[in-house]
Amino acid sequence: MKQESNLSILLKGLLRENPVFVLVLGTCPTLATTTTVIGALSMGIAAMAVLICSNAVVSLLRKFIPDMVRIPCYIVIIAGFVTLVQMFMHAYLPELYDLLGVYLALITVNCIVLGRAEMFAGKNPVGKSVLDGIGMGLGFTLALFLMSVVREVFGAGTFMGMPIPVLYEHNISILTKAPGGLLVYGFLIAAVTAITKGKAPRKKSFSCEGCPNAGNCVTCSEKGAE
Amino acid sequence: MKRYLKSVFALTLICAVIGIALAATNMITLPIIKVNEAAAVQEMLEVVMPGGTGFEIVETENLTLPGTVTEVYCETGGGYVFKLETSGYASGMVILCGVDKNGLVTGAACMSSGETLGYEKTYGNNLVKRTLNSIDSVDTVASATKTTSGYKNAVKDALNAASVLNKSVKGGA
């Protein structure tokens, strides 16, 4: 199997395997926290911190964690880091803690974090897993930032809470609501697909190999027999 | 058997280490969080009781107040501010509600909550100058959702608690 370079691991999360626009993971916080740029950046940075730490620990313990209980172990590790981030934000950044509300705790069930632990950190050394966490975290933050800029600037007529002349009086308020979020999300996915010219990872990249149910799955065993 | 024992041991060990890390972090952050919360409450007292001065904590151990009331402040004008902890869709919705000496709501504000939309931050403005009898007619906080229901019931608890406190003051006098 071809070895990926460190630079490729770091950069793939930005565009080619962007967790939001290409892998379509973490859709719930993406839609919920992108009504304001500050909220989106806070969520992106908090998720990136959790992603880096959980990737590092999962990779460090990958030979110690038995295969049978790897998913519960990953969830305990991720939930632990999320709670740590929550406690520190509550103590030192109370305004951002209030702004993110319930979505901060929901990073625990963010598919990106569990997905990277399962697909990458559980199979690669610590250094590469940290790079993957940084790359995917930056990709997630970048995606949230792009979406929030469109939604806040055109939906509310402000940027980071500062009113923008003309747009403030003539905003498209649906963009700050859920349907507007989905519209912006769809357009940005289309733009990324156009930029990457459809060279995003194909289905075979997500084979049964990484699936926790592979051992019990009928489809998987049929594929193996072919 | 060995495989199962190894799995149990690994998961238990990870849980224990994470638990210790969380306990240590909690010891560091909890005092800071308490200080921040106390400062936020002091700031909000004047918002929910405009013009109120000389706020002091009231000892309520001998009074039967609704369970949602966690702290009571009195002010020199005879009004009270109640800190209430209730549940909406999620638990941990903390509300400050001011009630003047005539039993009218002077203001209400949500200090923290785990609700998803954040609209609970705006409910307080709609309940100003309401009494226990007129609060149910507020349509914009209709009790149709768990959040509005929890919020409105907490404000009703504040009005009930104010009534209990006023009676106890009169009885004591």
Side-chain angles (χ1 to χ4, degrees), chain B residues 93-117:
Chain B
M93 187 155 68
V94 179
I95 295 164
L96 270 192
C97 178
V99 181
D100 70 10
K101 61 182 177 184
N102 301 317
L104 293 169
V105 175
T106 56
C110 184
M111 302 291 296
S112 64
S113 79
E115 307 305 288
T116 46
L117 289 174

Side-chain angles (χ1 to χ4, degrees), chain B residues 35-116:
Chain B
V35 169
N36 289 346
E37 281 178 353
V41 167
Q42 285 301 323
E43 207 173 288
M44 290 306 286
L45 285 173
E46 288 167 24
V47 174
V48 298
M49 178 70 77
T53 51
F55 291 100
E56 281 178 19
I57 288 194
V58 179
E59 293 297 329
T60 56
E61 282 173 10
N62 302 322
L63 297 168
T64 312
L65 299 180
T68 51
V69 177
T70 55
E71 268 175 29
V72 182
Y73 298 82
C74 67
E75 58 103 25
T76 46
Y80 293 99
V81 176
F82 299 91
K83 188 178 175 190
L84 307 126
E85 191 162 343
T86 186
S87 295
Y89 188 76
S91 61
M93 187 155 68
V94 179
I95 295 164
L96 270 192
C97 178
V99 181
D100 70 10
K101 61 182 177 184
N102 301 317
L104 293 169
V105 175
T106 56
C110 184
M111 302 291 296
S112 64
S113 79
E115 307 305 288
T116 46

Side-chain angles (χ1 to χ4, degrees), chain B residues 111-141:
Chain B
M111 302 291 296
S112 64
S113 79
E115 307 305 288
T116 46
L117 289 174
Y119 289 150
E120 67 282 0
K121 311 274 182 203
T122 63
Y123 294 159
N125 298 334
N126 303 313
L127 302 173
V128 176
K129 291 191 177 169
R130 297 287 170 167
T131 63
L132 206 49
N133 296 325
S134 64
I135 196 164
D136 280 328
S137 60
V138 180
D139 295 334
T140 45
V141 189

Side-chain angles (χ1 to χ4, degrees), chain A residues 91-141:
Chain A
Y92 299 107
L93 300 164
E95 289 88 5
L96 289 183
Y97 176 82
D98 284 340
L99 183 72
L100 293 177
V102 71
Y103 295 105
L104 191 55
L106 287 178
I107 295 175
T108 305
V109 286
N110 189 322
C111 309
I112 299 167
V113 187
L114 186 61
R116 293 325 290 176
E118 172 68 12
M119 286 198 284
F120 196 91
K123 296 165 192 164
N124 288 283
V126 180
K128 285 189 173 185
S129 299
V130 169
L131 283 178
D132 181 72
I134 296 171
M136 286 292 160
L138 284 175
F140 182 57
T141 311

